[in-house]
Amino acid sequence: MNERERARRPGGRSARVGAEVHQAVTDLISERGYGNFTVGEVAARAGVADSSIYRRWGSLETLLTEVALTRLNARSPMPDTGSLAGDLRTYAANVAREITGPDGVAVVRLAVALSGNGGKGPQAGDGLRDERMRQLQSMLDRAVERGERAPDAYGVLDHILAPMYIRVLFGMVPLTPEYIDGLVDRLL
């Protein structure tokens, strides 16, 4: 195999290191919460050098943002059921499952922590928010293309996501299917 083929090969050491670092971050967040560990601790847990993490991600915040986004995209992808009501119900159920799972509160707190910089300019978490809002907007745009009336992305955030996140943060769970469907119904 020549150098060019090796560089394009999916997987390999780089993918394995990325997965091990992601897992180390997820484990540390679950065990200690956001902000209670260092790049050095992530590196030790993943079996890599600190310099590898800084070279690839630049900062702990950027790494945390990538971990959160990768997890959300894998576990709560944007659905395409053929109707806005179906898409929103599926999306809300996926988010509810994710935020009430074993690492749910840690993931919610991570998202809040990454996006909370007191109005002092861009934050690493802005990429997480911006990417999820872009994905949500594409779901809403599909609905409009089908001739359906769709709220804006902030309407979904305010009327579906925020109530679920608040309930999880304050221990007001479970998020029942009836509760989730009610949120979607009130929005639509």
Side-chain angles (χ1 to χ4, degrees):
M1 179 184 306
N2 68 35
E3 194 64 34
R4 179 177 245 160
E5 289 170 337
R6 185 175 302 127
R8 286 189 285 190
R9 190 185 78 205
R13 184 178 189 285
S14 180
R16 188 180 76 255
V17 166
E20 289 168 356
V21 169
H22 277 225
Q23 187 60 54
V25 167
T26 300
D27 292 346
L28 286 165
I29 291 169
S30 294
E31 293 168 16
R32 302 182 191 173
Y34 171 76
N36 296 317
F37 55 89
T38 65
V39 167
E41 291 169 310
V42 172
R45 175 92 43 123
V48 300
D50 298 19
S51 59
S52 294
I53 292 176
Y54 284 115
R55 188 170 39 256
R56 186 164 178 176
W57 288 280
S59 70
L60 182 58
E61 289 75 21
T62 301
L63 171 59
L64 293 170
T65 298
E66 181 181 300
V67 168
L69 188 57
T70 299
R71 180 186 172 118
L72 285 171
N73 286 337
R75 296 185 180 183
S76 297
M78 290 296 161
D80 187 359
T81 65
S83 75
L84 181 57
D87 289 351
L88 288 174
R89 286 184 206 297
T90 301
Y91 175 63
N94 288 344
V95 170
R97 183 191 70 244
E98 180 65 17
I99 65 175
T100 59
D103 303 326
V105 173
V107 170
V108 171
R109 288 187 176 142
L110 172 60
V112 170
L114 286 173
S115 62
N117 69 344
K120 298 176 187 163
Q123 191 75 351
D126 292 350
L128 172 65
R129 181 200 59 230
D130 293 348
E131 177 60 17
R132 286 307 271 185
M133 290 298 277
R134 185 196 63 72
Q135 293 171 357
L136 185 57
Q137 188 60 55
S138 71
M139 180 176 65
L140 298 170
D141 290 345
R142 279 195 316 267
V144 170
E145 289 169 9
R146 290 189 301 258
E148 297 178 85
R149 280 191 54 205
D152 66 9
Y154 285 102
V156 176
L157 178 71
D158 292 341
H159 297 283
I160 296 176
L161 298 177
M164 291 193 306
Y165 276 54
I166 291 297
R167 282 186 175 231
V168 168
L169 284 172
F170 289 103
M172 302 164 59
V173 288
L175 301 177
T176 65
E178 296 79 22
Y179 172 74
I180 294 166
D181 286 348
L183 294 174
V184 172
D185 291 342
R186 283 189 290 280
L187 175 63
L188 295 178

